[in-house]
Amino acid sequence: MDTPEKRPMAIERFYQALDEETAASLTPAQKTALEDAVLAITLTTRQRIDIRRTVSFFGRRYFYVLLVGRDRRRMPRRESTLGRLAISVLVVFWLLFCAVSIFITLYLIKSALGIDIFKNFHVGIWTWLIEHQR
């Protein structure tokens, strides 16, 4: 069995939360089984990238965690239909926003260079922008 100095943090927290009398009554086989179970349900396995930082923002402290690695869980995590739908809607709106932003930027560049693609047809964004600069 690992010495307390070499145990992962989740196992240390587990033993701190466990009653000392109960922990003393466990056999080595039971301890090993419990430690394996704790490791299986937590993210304490080693990831390739494990970045945990805290930042201060307007007088409050926030944390962020970036974990990247192979998924070693036995059972896959269930995803809700509503969550997938929300992500899909956000992605569609983001792509739409990017496409419109690129179109407007290219149109303004074209107008600034004085290029007329269609004779006597203008969207009016460039004219509106020039008039409102004054």
Side-chain angles (χ1 to χ4, degrees):
M1 180 167 24
D2 289 336
T3 61
E5 298 84 35
K6 292 186 179 183
R7 285 188 192 149
M9 182 62 81
I11 292 178
E12 285 301 313
R13 287 194 316 250
F14 171 75
Y15 281 121
Q16 288 172 355
L18 190 62
D19 179 40
E20 288 182 25
E21 186 178 318
T22 304
S25 69
L26 294 173
T27 66
Q30 289 172 328
K31 284 183 179 182
T32 303
L34 281 173
E35 290 172 6
D36 289 345
V38 167
L39 290 176
I41 62 172
T42 61
L43 291 176
T44 59
T45 57
R46 295 185 184 123
Q47 288 84 19
R48 292 246 180 212
I49 299 173
D50 186 346
I51 300 172
R52 300 165 193 256
R53 299 285 187 260
T54 305
V55 294
S56 295
F57 189 69
F58 290 112
R60 291 192 167 182
R61 293 177 53 83
Y62 297 92
F63 71 92
Y64 65 92
V65 176
L66 175 65
L67 300 173
V68 179
R70 198 178 83 205
D71 188 1
R72 294 185 175 134
R73 294 174 294 190
R74 291 186 185 140
M75 296 180 61
R77 185 173 287 171
R78 291 183 59 206
E79 293 182 17
S80 71
T81 304
L82 184 61
R84 283 186 287 175
L85 180 65
I87 294 294
S88 299
V89 168
L90 286 173
V91 167
V92 166
F93 278 119
W94 176 251
L95 290 174
L96 204 63
F97 173 77
C98 289
V100 168
S101 297
I102 290 170
F103 173 76
I104 289 174
T105 302
L106 290 175
Y107 178 80
L108 290 174
I109 292 170
K110 173 203 78 75
S111 297
L113 294 174
I115 300 172
D116 256 351
I117 297 175
F118 302 107
K119 294 268 186 212
N120 300 322
F121 177 77
H122 300 283
V123 176
I125 298 173
W126 181 253
T127 309
W128 178 85
L129 185 67
I130 295 297
E131 287 175 3
H132 283 85
Q133 272 187 341
R134 296 177 192 162

